[in-house]
Amino acid sequence: MKIRDILLSEYGKASSIPSPVNRMMTDFAIGFRDGYDINLGVGYVNENTIPRQQIQNACEAVLSNPEKYRASLNYGGAQGSPNLIESIRKFHIDNRIGGITKNTFNTKDIVIGANGATSLLESITHLLPAGIVFTADPMYYIYCNDLERKGFTVIAIPEDNHGLETDLLRAKLKALGSGKAAIQFFYVVTVNNPSCTILSNRQKRELVEIVTELSYEIGRKIPLFFDNAYRDLVHDSTVEPLESALCYDQLGIVYEIGTLSKILAPGLRIGYLIGPKGTFLDSIIQRTSDIGFSAPLINQEIASYLLDNGIEAQIEKVNNGYREKAKQVKTWIVELLGDNVEGYRGGSAGFYYYLTLANIATDSNSDFFKFLTRTTGQKDIDGPSHNPHPKVIYIPGEHCVHPSGEMIDIGKRQFRISYGFEELPQIHAALKHMKDAIDYCSEKV
Ligand SMILES: Cc1ncc(COP(=O)(O)O)c(C=O)c1O
């Protein structure tokens, strides 16, 4: 008898095919030659920003103080370590992050994700029914890809220099008419990935107002999730201090997602959610229990210790590093890519630049991409097949803009480069290869 293969759910089927970005990054990682090929594609933090010694000290301090850090190598509770929750609360209040005060926490609680901010974002997709999700364009492609595999419809609203354009959002909502009933939530990254555009306080406040009005209109609270992954990485002192959207929220619809990945270490896998106490937060806690009981307790206690001991100095150190890199990389972009760059975002926060080229396609079938990945088929460009010339990878804009959004055409001329992971000499070399790639494209037309 013929036997059929394992029956997959719709999500299973969609997940059995790796996302285009995953495929691209995997292809690149195979045969990656350290110190030769250059990876401007990954969202990895700079290794030098990770406080190795402090983490080692913190681990020792935790293990040698079992009265405070109880059973730290055992299972933890699903809401998260009480020590860490208190440290996060204190970190926000002491630093008055975004205007948060002691009173903010009268009605709000903190929960720790099972595995970074990503696990909290993923949990949302299981706890809210499928429907429409609004976000900014370009979008955080990793999460939006997950949402679409789970049957959500993502509507991406183009951003301007200050984040998601609220006028466009209002127009889109109006055009949806009775279709608005299908809206499930809003997801907005406050320092956007891929563009590093900083959402202005004005636009943030307006977003809260729009979603509050919408909630009243529909007769149901529509949650508005702000992803603060890069919020603590604003390294440009001319940027207005960022306010927390929690302070604008009258209705109890605003949630903020934070992570220690970018200021301490992604390997700790500590992400947290702050939001109104209630059934939604309760369901997140149960979900954390379902998928792994809790984040590793030892990591939570280490993170708690690090937040209690010298976090301000650590954040300053991280930002000093990225500020210098941002400035230098910007100079090289101007010097090497010059007029071929029609526009750019980034450089004030996080560690990405998002560039728009004037006339040159950047998608994975483009000559620009093929030149940089040494897949043109021309020996003089690619080098010998057993040992090609240095390869450079970036994230093409085609993967960052929504495929049925308004930015689809311009996205084909855009790309994200990271100045996080690689060191300056490698980034300089990569930009020189990009200049050569542009010359190659210009010669071909
Ligand atoms: C916008 C955004 N959210 C969340 C994350 C992931 O955070 P975590 O490491 O805590 O899972 C990232 C990582 O790059 C990100 O860019």
Side-chain angles (χ1 to χ4, degrees), residues 115-118 121 140 187 189 193 227 229-230 259 261-262 269:
N115 199 37
T118 304
L121 292 172
Y140 179 37
Y187 170 70
V189 185
N193 179 358
D227 182 335
Y230 303 87
T259 178
S261 288
K262 315 290 175 186
R269 307 307 303 126

Side-chain angles (χ1 to χ4, degrees), residues 21-22 24-26 28-29 32 37-45 140-142 193-194 230 262 351-354 369 372-373 391-397 399-400 415-422 426-427 430 434:
V21 175
N22 276 353
M24 198 184 82
M25 297 306 277
T26 308
F28 190 73
F32 183 83
D37 296 323
I38 308 167
N39 196 342
L40 302 188
V42 278
Y44 289 10
V45 305
Y140 179 37
Y141 55 88
I142 293 177
N193 179 358
Y230 303 87
K262 315 290 175 186
F351 42 70
Y352 307 124
Y353 275 109
Y354 190 67
F369 186 89
L372 292 166
T373 51
K391 301 180 188 187
V392 176
I393 195 96
Y394 60 84
I395 304 287
H399 300 312
C400 302
F415 63 109
R416 184 193 84 175
I417 56 172
S418 165
Y419 53 85
F421 180 61
E422 297 278 9
Q426 283 72 34
I427 302 175
M434 286 183 174

Side-chain angles (χ1 to χ4, degrees), residues 60 65 138 166 180 186 226 236-237 274 413 434:
E60 222 168 290
N65 188 353
T166 43
K180 276 185 267 197
F186 285 66
F226 286 101
D236 176 346
S237 59
I274 308 180
R413 294 187 280 121
M434 286 183 174

